[in-house]
Amino acid sequence: MMLKTTKPLIKVYDDLIPSYLQDYYELATLGLKGEEFIYPTVPFKCKYETTAQEQGQSPLSFVHVLKSHTALSEHLENFAMVPQAVCNTHNLELKEILVGRIYITVPHETDLDHYAPHVDLQGKHMVVIYYVNDADGPTVFFDDFGNIIESVEPKKGRAVLFDGSIKHGGGIPKKGPRCIVNYDIYV
């Protein structure tokens, strides 16, 4: 008897977002305009990533909540263009952004390649990850047995759409900051 497996929905898009918006997102989050540093406009809170703890040390990251059940950011409207553009390519109706977060992970020396595999939310949803900058530390996707099924490298302007039930783990950068925007959406 042969087991039939199907590849889960993981779609990668490059430059779906216009370059002027890519530059805006990079400037607003990282404060980068080309090689020049300008103060970012999005405020962040410091967070230690306990899902990648090694020898009692956790990587440091920064988070800005665009939307959750308790928060709504003034920056949501500008960043909401990303999941809308991704949904438009599939003729999907974006009914709601359930949760939206911006993460900046700073470089961290570790033997770990990624954070622990997880799903963002319980229940039926889709996820869009938007990569704000070129960085190391790919997003890794896992099957139900913990095997890696796909790995997506961070690249400025890249977006990934996937079924929210797929376990994934963010990569831990070693060379420079890694900035993503993570959207849990209902379509």
Side-chain angles (χ1 to χ4, degrees), residues 105-124:
T105 307
V106 297
H108 181 72
E109 286 302 319
T110 178
D111 291 332
L112 300 174
D113 292 325
H114 52 77
Y115 298 120
H118 66 278
V119 294
D120 295 348
L121 301 173
Q122 297 302 315
K124 189 169 176 58

Side-chain angles (χ1 to χ4, degrees), residues 136-180:
D136 60 323
T139 303
V140 183
F141 298 90
F142 302 88
D143 65 16
D144 292 337
F145 304 102
N147 301 308
I148 294 174
I149 56 173
E150 189 151 348
S151 181
V152 177
E153 293 291 332
K155 177 185 172 221
K156 181 178 176 179
R158 177 171 284 168
V160 181
L161 171 70
F162 60 97
D163 184 310
S165 66
I166 299 172
K167 288 186 177 182
H168 58 284
I172 302 171
K174 312 276 192 292
K175 299 175 186 172
R178 176 185 186 269
C179 185
I180 66 153

Side-chain angles (χ1 to χ4, degrees), residues 22-172:
Q22 293 178 32
D23 292 342
Y24 166 76
Y25 295 143
E26 188 175 43
L27 180 61
T29 57
L30 294 170
L32 296 176
K33 186 173 185 177
E35 297 296 315
E36 186 179 355
F37 177 78
I38 300 169
Y39 192 78
T41 56
V42 174
F44 288 91
K45 291 184 178 180
C46 184
K47 177 183 179 203
Y48 285 97
E49 297 292 346
T50 57
T51 62
Q53 194 172 60
E54 183 181 54
Q55 299 174 355
Q57 293 188 351
S58 298
L60 177 67
S61 67
F62 297 89
V63 64
H64 176 83
V65 177
L66 292 167
K67 182 180 181 193
S68 72
H69 65 284
T70 60
L72 186 62
S73 169
E74 65 181 312
H75 297 280
L76 177 62
E77 185 176 341
N78 291 332
F79 283 88
M81 295 177 207
V82 172
Q84 187 62 63
V86 171
C87 287
N88 288 348
T89 65
H90 284 284
N91 293 320
L92 297 172
E93 179 188 352
L94 175 59
K95 294 179 181 168
E96 184 179 1
I97 296 174
L98 303 168
V99 179
R101 300 164 303 273
I102 305 170
Y103 291 106
I104 299 174
T105 307
V106 297
H108 181 72
E109 286 302 319
T110 178
D111 291 332
L112 300 174
D113 292 325
H114 52 77
Y115 298 120
H118 66 278
V119 294
D120 295 348
L121 301 173
Q122 297 302 315
K124 189 169 176 58
H125 69 288
M126 301 293 289
V127 179
V128 173
I129 295 177
Y130 174 76
Y131 298 96
V132 174
N133 66 322
D134 293 331
D136 60 323
T139 303
V140 183
F141 298 90
F142 302 88
D143 65 16
D144 292 337
F145 304 102
N147 301 308
I148 294 174
I149 56 173
E150 189 151 348
S151 181
V152 177
E153 293 291 332
K155 177 185 172 221
K156 181 178 176 179
R158 177 171 284 168
V160 181
L161 171 70
F162 60 97
D163 184 310
S165 66
I166 299 172
K167 288 186 177 182
H168 58 284
I172 302 171

